[in-house]
């Protein structure tokens, strides 16, 4: 019972930390100033006329479509995009630890690669450069495929970022799962971040102030705010429930 209480209290602490994470994201969404690209361009011109270029900073939210003349190609699907994430996992079986010695199914990540590039956010009135470095990027999943293998105890693959030839001993490999996410050209997104005119270039980038988030999302303002509120609420309830179970476990362990 003491172990149960310890696990519940530890879980409660982890869930409370997650609740704080979503609380910060929600706060960041609420303080970001919703702006159109045209409004940002006008502000830049006004600030430049008054005090010169290079000093303007503001925390904003902008909506537009992803575009670039030099896109990346995703590793597996070869889709033109400005960001991709590719993960390869091995799914395998091994002897179980219970008394019946049943085989258990497991998985492990054996390859992961992410890449992004500068792009432009475009609406009907103009476009603005986006530097995605440091952003939390929500992408579109374009691949989730389990590929069986001919040799269940070895693995060989060659991609742009990964070249492996492994043997896994006594475990039996069931297959390799290929997953890929991309931020494709033409995708409507909402960007929450800092607009800057440093170097005379109007750009969205990672904020410098602590607590301000840099988010590139497939959801828009109202959807994103509601999403973070729901996640925050779920983490709060789950944390309180785990803490209550842990407290009950401690009482039972003591008495």
């Amino acid at each position: 019972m003491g172990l149960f209480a310890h696990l519940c209290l530890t879980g409660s602490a982890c869930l409370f930390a997650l609740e704080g994470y979503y609380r910060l994201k929600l706060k960041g969404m609420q303080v970001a100033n919703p702006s159109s690209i045209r409004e940002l361009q006008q502000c830049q011109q006004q600030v430049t006329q008054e005090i010169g270029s290079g000093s303007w900073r503001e925390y904003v939210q902008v909506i537009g479509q992803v575009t670039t003349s030099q896109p990346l190609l995703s590793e597996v699907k070869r889709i033109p995009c400005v960001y991709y994430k590719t993960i390869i996992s091995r799914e395998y079986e091994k002897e179980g630890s219970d008394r019946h010695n049943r085989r258990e199914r497991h998985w492990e990540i054996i390859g992961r690669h992410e890449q992004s590039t500068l792009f432009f956010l475009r609406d009907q009135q103009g476009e603005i450069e986006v530097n995605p470095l440091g952003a939390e990027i929500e992408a579109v999943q374009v691949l989730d495929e389990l590929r069986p293998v001919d040799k269940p105890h070895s693995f060989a693959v060659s991609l742009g970022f990964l070249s492996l030839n492994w043997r896994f001993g006594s475990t039996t490999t069931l297959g390799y799962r290929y997953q890929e996410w991309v931020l494709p050209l033409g995708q409507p997104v909402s960007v929450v971040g800092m607009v800057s005119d440093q170097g005379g270039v109007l750009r969205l980038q990672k904020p410098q102030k602590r607590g301000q988030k840099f988010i590139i999302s497939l959801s828009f303002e109202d959807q994103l705010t509601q999403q973070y509120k729901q996640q925050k609420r779920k983490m709060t309830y789950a944390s309180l429930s785990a803490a209550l179970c842990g407290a009950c476990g401690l009482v039972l362990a003591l008495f």
Side-chain angles (χ1 to χ4, degrees), residues 44-144:
Q44 180 195 21
Q45 293 172 0
Q46 183 176 355
V47 171
T48 299
Q49 291 173 356
E50 293 177 355
I51 61 174
S53 64
S55 59
W56 181 43
R57 306 284 188 277
E58 189 173 347
Y59 191 49
V60 298
Q61 180 187 34
V62 188
I63 294 173
Q65 289 188 327
V66 172
T67 181
T68 182
S69 59
Q70 297 181 316
L72 303 170
L73 289 177
S74 63
E75 292 285 354
V76 182
K77 297 290 285 185
R78 310 303 290 173
I79 295 175
C81 57
V82 296
Y83 164 83
Y84 68 83
K85 177 174 67 175
T86 304
I87 295 178
I88 301 177
S89 305
R90 182 174 78 103
E91 297 192 9
Y92 63 95
E93 285 185 343
K94 68 177 184 178
E95 297 297 330
S97 57
D98 62 4
R99 60 194 180 103
H100 299 291
N101 204 29
R102 295 170 181 168
R103 296 185 69 81
E104 297 176 345
R105 187 163 182 162
H106 302 265
W107 63 274
E108 61 181 346
I109 294 176
I110 59 175
R112 178 188 176 104
H113 187 231
E114 289 183 76
Q115 190 171 352
S116 62
T117 186
L118 291 172
F119 65 92
F120 287 91
L121 196 65
R122 179 181 294 169
D123 64 14
Q124 295 179 343
Q125 297 177 319
E127 62 181 25
I128 183 173
E129 184 179 287
V130 180
N131 180 359
L133 185 64
E136 299 177 28
I137 301 176
E138 182 184 359
V140 179
Q141 186 166 20
V142 294
L143 180 65
D144 186 4

Side-chain angles (χ1 to χ4, degrees), residues 183-199:
L183 191 58
L185 304 186
Q187 175 68 46
V189 295
S190 171
V191 180
V192 176
M194 183 183 73
V195 64
S196 164
D197 67 340
Q198 187 175 6

Side-chain angles (χ1 to χ4, degrees), residues 6-254:
H6 175 74
L7 291 174
C8 287
L9 292 174
T10 301
S12 175
C14 293
L15 290 167
F16 182 76
L18 280 173
E19 187 271 340
Y21 168 75
Y22 283 109
R23 184 171 64 249
L24 287 175
K25 293 185 79 168
L26 180 61
K27 183 179 178 181
M29 284 293 305
Q30 292 170 338
V31 300
N33 182 27
S35 306
S36 70
I37 295 173
R38 182 58 183 160
E39 288 172 341
L40 296 180
Q41 291 171 336
Q42 290 173 343
C43 286
Q44 180 195 21
Q45 293 172 0
Q46 183 176 355
V47 171
T48 299
Q49 291 173 356
E50 293 177 355
I51 61 174
S53 64
S55 59
W56 181 43
R57 306 284 188 277
E58 189 173 347
Y59 191 49
V60 298
Q61 180 187 34
V62 188
I63 294 173
Q65 289 188 327
V66 172
T67 181
T68 182
S69 59
Q70 297 181 316
L72 303 170
L73 289 177
S74 63
E75 292 285 354
V76 182
K77 297 290 285 185
R78 310 303 290 173
I79 295 175
C81 57
V82 296
Y83 164 83
Y84 68 83
K85 177 174 67 175
T86 304
I87 295 178
I88 301 177
S89 305
R90 182 174 78 103
E91 297 192 9
Y92 63 95
E93 285 185 343
K94 68 177 184 178
E95 297 297 330
S97 57
D98 62 4
R99 60 194 180 103
H100 299 291
N101 204 29
R102 295 170 181 168
R103 296 185 69 81
E104 297 176 345
R105 187 163 182 162
H106 302 265
W107 63 274
E108 61 181 346
I109 294 176
I110 59 175
R112 178 188 176 104
H113 187 231
E114 289 183 76
Q115 190 171 352
S116 62
T117 186
L118 291 172
F119 65 92
F120 287 91
L121 196 65
R122 179 181 294 169
D123 64 14
Q124 295 179 343
Q125 297 177 319
E127 62 181 25
I128 183 173
E129 184 179 287
V130 180
N131 180 359
L133 185 64
E136 299 177 28
I137 301 176
E138 182 184 359
V140 179
Q141 186 166 20
V142 294
L143 180 65
D144 186 4
E145 179 183 337
L146 181 63
R147 300 180 183 179
V149 293
D150 296 328
K151 297 179 180 181
H153 301 295
S154 65
F155 172 63
V157 68
S158 180
L159 292 173
F161 70 96
L162 184 65
S163 181
L164 297 170
N165 191 345
W166 287 355
R167 291 189 63 83
F168 294 105
S170 60
T171 60
T172 300
T173 300
L174 302 174
Y176 297 94
R177 184 169 297 278
Y178 290 75
Q179 295 174 294
E180 194 162 74
W181 294 260
V182 303
L183 191 58
L185 304 186
Q187 175 68 46
V189 295
S190 171
V191 180
V192 176
M194 183 183 73
V195 64
S196 164
D197 67 340
Q198 187 175 6
V201 177
L202 192 62
R203 179 183 296 115
L204 287 165
Q205 61 190 55
K206 184 177 180 180
Q208 297 174 342
K209 289 185 178 180
R210 185 177 179 181
Q212 292 183 345
K213 297 293 183 179
F214 186 23
I215 304 168
I216 300 175
S217 174
L218 304 178
S219 302
F220 300 129
E221 182 178 7
D222 292 340
Q223 296 172 307
L224 201 56
T225 300
Q226 288 301 318
Q227 187 180 68
Y228 291 154
K229 283 182 178 179
Q230 290 174 2
Q231 293 294 338
K232 176 181 175 295
R233 193 178 303 117
K234 287 178 182 178
M235 293 303 105
T236 300
Y237 292 155
S239 176
L240 291 174
S241 298
L244 181 60
C245 289
C248 291
L250 282 176
V251 172
L252 291 174
L254 291 173

